[in-house]
Amino acid sequence: MSTAGTGQAVADRGDKGGVRTALAGLTTRGRSFLAAGVAAAVCSYVLGQSDLLRVGLLLAVLPLVCAAVLYRTRYRVAGSRRLSPARVPAGSEARVHLRMDNVSRLPTGLLMLQDRVPYVLGPRPRFVLDRVEAGGRREVSYRVRSDLRGRYPLGPLQLRLTDPFGMCELTRSFSSYDTLTVIPRVEPLAPVRLSGEAKGYGDGRQRSLALAGEDDVIPRGYRYGDDLRRVHWRSTARYGELMVRREEQPQRARCTVLLDTRGIAYRGAGPDSAFEWAVTGAASVLVHMLERGYSVRLLTDTGSTVPGEGGDGFAGVSQESADAAGLMMDTLAVIDHSDGAGLSRAYDVLRGGNEGLLVAFLGDLDEEQAAVLGRMRQRSPGAVAFVLDSRTWVREPSDVPGPSEGRGERLRMLREAGWTALDVPRGACLDELWRQADRERRGVAATGGGEGP
């Protein structure tokens, strides 16, 4: 179980306006006592009753003393929050642990604890804590859940203090807050052979072999940290500097996941919309390819990639693969529609070629964008497209007149360009479509219509 770092805070002193703040915290009972005390003092003066004056002073002073004492206790309570986990898939629950520490030498009165959470995570949690002894602590927890991905701030934590007589209540806000990241759901995918490289799915790692034999490889200059056993003495004597053998360098199979985020390509909103299905599909393929050892890259229609991503993408099956998956999931957690109208920027990024397997999640396409995708296919040895018809994903299909015009023609253009293009109906299972894409590629390879796995 992963946990977020503990955030601890103590309320600011707030001396400016402190008396006014304390008096503003008087409850109805406290105000009633104060009003009764003032009234008794006035009556004692009018009636000449000294005993009534003593009673009035007692009634008036009691809430003021309670407010002064309670105001001083604001500085003696510390709070912390811990998320478990701090990154959670959409539709799953996370638990928030709150801890209150009484760092003063005196026990506290009754405390009411409240944490601020966005409305999409549920109602604001409130807890009533009994008297906390000096140096003691109290721990409570609550659950949050969101069907919508995104980053949600939790906090600041609010603490309402009250005195034993119920005369005064003061609210104190902590300064720290934490962030809950709700990432897209990741569906497990079957290990099919979708790679466009000759050695097949997951086996496309090639090696740059030596040109002159196993030992007589092309030498290079010595670098700090190189094994001295790799020193090539013949080349060292020839060039007059320390040279080492250049051994076989593994070349990872690559995979680029293209996510179409154009706002005009999707209709509807919410966790069951076409765009959310595309984001979930992209996340599932990215994680799956990382686990299979591919160097993966996330690309959008705007040409942007994940911050911190290398030129060849993130490498899988390494110590950094979990961090790479986290970075991509964080990017997909907040990705939104773009204002772009085409896919030309993504094509410019792919112009270099040798991109490996290309997996695209696309919205509605016109003839121009289908042609751009056809040119993209020439830059990749294998390409799979999941094309969503957002008109069928709206909540009220009756409001959508007839089938999408020219949709079949767009799919035909993609298939003629070499894409394995699949139509994605509403509520489709990604794993089934993933297997279907594998079967179609195998069928094309068996008929000699394309490059087999």
Side-chain angles (χ1 to χ4, degrees), residues 322-390:
D323 296 336
L327 286 174
M328 289 186 292
M329 291 302 103
D330 289 344
T331 300
L332 290 175
V334 297
I335 201 168
D336 202 355
H337 293 294
S338 68
D339 298 330
L343 303 172
S344 58
R345 293 183 180 178
Y347 172 71
D348 293 338
V349 175
L350 296 176
R351 278 184 175 180
N354 193 24
E355 299 296 337
L357 177 64
L358 177 61
V359 181
F361 292 87
L362 307 168
D364 296 332
L365 300 173
D366 55 21
E367 184 175 353
E368 180 181 356
Q369 304 315 315
V372 173
L373 289 169
R375 295 194 296 270
M376 282 188 190
R377 173 61 180 87
Q378 301 174 2
R379 303 292 180 179
S380 176
V384 180
F386 299 94
V387 186
L388 292 85
D389 185 2
S390 62

Side-chain angles (χ1 to χ4, degrees), residues 177-257:
Y177 66 92
D178 294 280
T179 302
L180 175 67
T181 303
V182 180
I183 62 176
R185 293 186 297 270
V186 175
E187 298 183 14
L189 301 179
V192 297
R193 301 169 61 88
L194 281 177
S195 175
E197 301 183 41
K199 295 197 182 241
Y201 184 88
D203 298 325
R205 303 177 184 86
Q206 302 174 350
R207 294 183 178 271
S208 301
L209 300 178
L211 299 178
E214 183 176 348
D215 293 328
D216 278 334
V217 296
I218 300 177
R220 62 170 175 82
Y222 175 82
R223 299 172 185 170
Y224 179 78
D226 286 338
D227 192 347
L228 292 178
R229 291 174 295 182
R230 293 173 52 195
V231 174
H232 195 259
W233 298 109
R234 183 181 304 174
S235 300
T236 299
R238 177 181 179 181
Y239 293 103
E241 60 177 323
L242 205 57
M243 307 291 290
V244 296
R245 294 190 299 271
R246 188 192 303 271
E247 296 182 348
E248 295 179 349
Q249 301 295 327
Q251 181 178 353
R252 292 186 181 276
R254 300 180 182 180
C255 176
T256 299
V257 177

Side-chain angles (χ1 to χ4, degrees), residues 108-119:
T108 67
L110 193 66
L111 305 177
M112 190 179 78
L113 193 63
Q114 175 179 283
D115 204 9
R116 290 187 178 181
V117 300
Y119 72 94

Side-chain angles (χ1 to χ4, degrees), residues 55-72:
V55 175
L57 291 177
L58 177 62
L59 293 177
V61 169
L62 181 59
L64 298 178
V65 172
C66 291
V69 173
L70 185 61
Y71 180 75
R72 297 301 301 175

